[in-house]
């Protein structure tokens, strides 16, 4: 058993919350909680500022008379995630698989890839509010396309590679994606599952899809008719900047799905700004995550 990790004194549990309490004029975290219950608009206004959220705050109240949060605020989820890189050559994503493969994408590399993917989406006519779907495992390319979708103002949706074609169509068919990014195979418990035929089947059954991009593990295999390889899709747009679109606070950013165990799977819409703000709060105050730290997911 390895050594037990202990935080240094300056990173003691609750230090960030104590600092937030002081900014709110509260003596401790208990008083901060009481204050937050009676002053929710002031609390979230303070959290936005304290966590370094990037965007156009506007000049309105954090909560208006109609119950809308940050009605004059506009921001980009992708812009926020790319804004605070500790250094260009620092690792942003470390991608490890069960076969022992390992890839590291630096912050500079991630930003460049997102810029190219965002430009590719724009070249495919993707506009704010359109849906971009990923039938992908947890790999770097999935993160890139999610951030690229956010950068152009599109809504990102994804589903698991262990689903069959019917289950994928049952979910994506509800949101009518215009671009589908998929993998040619998935590995689970030592078994490789080929997916290319299922990708083509899914694409044929989603009439809204204008582009199908395949992240191929075997470049010699090719992709097939009507399918574009990931590298070919990005190649004409290498060097493009991210150019994020800032959208209203209430704009949708992600669509997830219920399990489908009690009927057809239902869409669950998440606002990009709501996801961002909750993650900033949880990572910084609850978990004390800081630049250079690593999170294993």
């Amino acid at each position: 058993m390895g050594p037990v990790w202990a935080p240094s004194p300056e990173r003691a549990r609750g230090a960030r919350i104590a600092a937030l309490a002081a900014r709110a004029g509260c003596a401790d975290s208990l008083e901060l909680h009481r204050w937050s219950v009676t002053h929710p608009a002031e609390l979230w206004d303070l959290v936005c500022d304290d966590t370094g959220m990037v965007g156009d705050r506007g000049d309105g109240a954090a909560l208006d008379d109609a119950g809308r949060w940050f009605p004059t605020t506009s921001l980009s989820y992708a812009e926020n995630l790319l804004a605070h890189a500790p250094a260009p050559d620092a690792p942003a994503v470390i991608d490890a698989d069960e076969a022992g493969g390992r890839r590291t994408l630096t912050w500079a590399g991630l930003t460049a890839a997102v810029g190219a993917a965002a430009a590719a989406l724009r070249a495919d006519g993707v506009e704010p509010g359109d849906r971009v779907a990923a039938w992908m495992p947890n790999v770097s390319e999935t993160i890139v396309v999610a951030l690229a979708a956010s950068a152009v103002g599109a809504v990102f949706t994804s589903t698991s590679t262990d689903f069959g074609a019917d289950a994928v169509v049952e979910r994506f068919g509800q949101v009518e994606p215009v671009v589908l990014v998929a993998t040619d195979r998935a590995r689970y418990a030592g078994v490789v599952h080929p997916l290319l035929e299922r990708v083509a089947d899914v694409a044929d059954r989603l009439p809204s899809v204008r582009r199908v991009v395949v992240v191929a593990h075997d470049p010699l295999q090719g992709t097939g008719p009507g399918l574009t390889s990931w590298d070919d899709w990005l190649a004409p747009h290498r060097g493009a900047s991210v150019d994020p679109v800032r959208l209203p606070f209430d704009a949708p950013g992600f669509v997830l799905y219920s399990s489908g165990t009690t009927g057809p799977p239902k869409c669950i819409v998440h606002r990009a700004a709501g996801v961002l703000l909750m993650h900033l709060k949880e990572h910084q105050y609850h978990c004390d995550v800081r630049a250079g730290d690593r999170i294993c997911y």
Side-chain angles (χ1 to χ4, degrees):
M1 186 173 181
V4 176
W5 177 83
S8 59
E10 66 272 14
R11 294 193 62 171
R13 182 176 175 85
R16 291 295 300 268
I17 295 179
L20 182 69
R23 288 197 61 185
C26 300
D28 52 30
S29 59
L30 181 59
E31 187 176 333
L32 174 67
H33 178 261
R34 291 170 178 159
W35 175 79
S36 72
V37 173
T38 55
H39 298 80
E42 290 87 343
L43 170 76
W44 288 109
D45 208 10
L46 178 60
V47 168
C48 285
D49 178 62
D50 190 59
T51 57
M53 193 171 75
V54 177
D56 181 3
R57 176 66 181 79
D59 55 7
L63 181 65
D64 69 9
D65 293 338
R68 296 176 303 177
W69 287 98
F70 299 100
T72 62
T73 296
S74 60
L75 54 81
S76 163
Y77 180 89
E79 181 182 14
N80 272 271
L81 264 65
L82 297 173
H84 300 295
D89 59 349
V93 181
I94 299 174
D95 184 336
D97 62 37
E98 66 175 44
R102 182 183 177 95
R103 300 183 297 171
T104 299
L105 190 60
T106 65
W107 281 100
L110 176 61
T111 302
V114 171
L121 290 173
R122 291 188 175 102
D124 285 333
V126 178
E127 299 178 345
D130 285 342
R131 278 73 62 200
V132 174
W135 189 18
M136 291 283 293
N138 294 321
V139 291
S140 303
E141 290 86 355
T142 311
I143 295 173
V144 168
V145 73
L147 292 177
S150 170
V152 303
V155 179
F156 177 77
T157 186
S158 66
T159 194
S160 173
T161 53
D162 63 1
F163 284 154
D166 289 345
V168 175
V169 172
E170 194 174 31
R171 288 160 174 79
F172 289 165
Q174 298 183 61
V175 300
E176 300 181 333
V178 296
V179 172
L180 171 65
V181 179
T183 183
D184 65 337
R185 69 184 189 187
R187 180 190 296 271
Y188 181 73
V191 179
V192 175
H193 303 273
L195 297 177
L196 202 55
E197 290 186 3
R198 273 189 273 173
V199 171
D201 181 26
V202 166
D204 286 342
R205 296 162 63 186
L206 294 174
S208 60
V209 170
R210 301 195 295 261
R211 171 81 70 178
V212 182
V213 181
V214 176
V215 179
H217 290 77
D218 183 1
L220 298 179
Q221 177 180 308
T223 54
L227 309 178
T228 305
S229 75
W230 174 262
D231 289 340
D232 288 345
W233 187 54
L234 297 186
H237 309 287
R238 297 290 186 186
S241 56
V242 176
D243 296 331
V245 174
R246 291 181 176 179
L247 296 177
F249 193 90
D250 269 342
F254 305 93
V255 175
L256 304 181
Y257 305 92
S258 64
S259 64
T261 54
T262 59
K266 301 168 184 65
C267 294
I268 305 169
V269 180
H270 293 268
R271 296 175 300 171
V275 171
L276 173 68
L277 189 54
M278 287 300 292
H279 280 168
L280 287 172
K281 173 185 74 75
E282 291 171 0
H283 290 174
Q284 295 190 30
Y285 302 131
H286 300 186
C287 302
D288 196 28
V289 175
R290 305 189 185 188
D293 288 347
R294 297 183 178 186
I295 301 173
C296 179
Y297 175 74

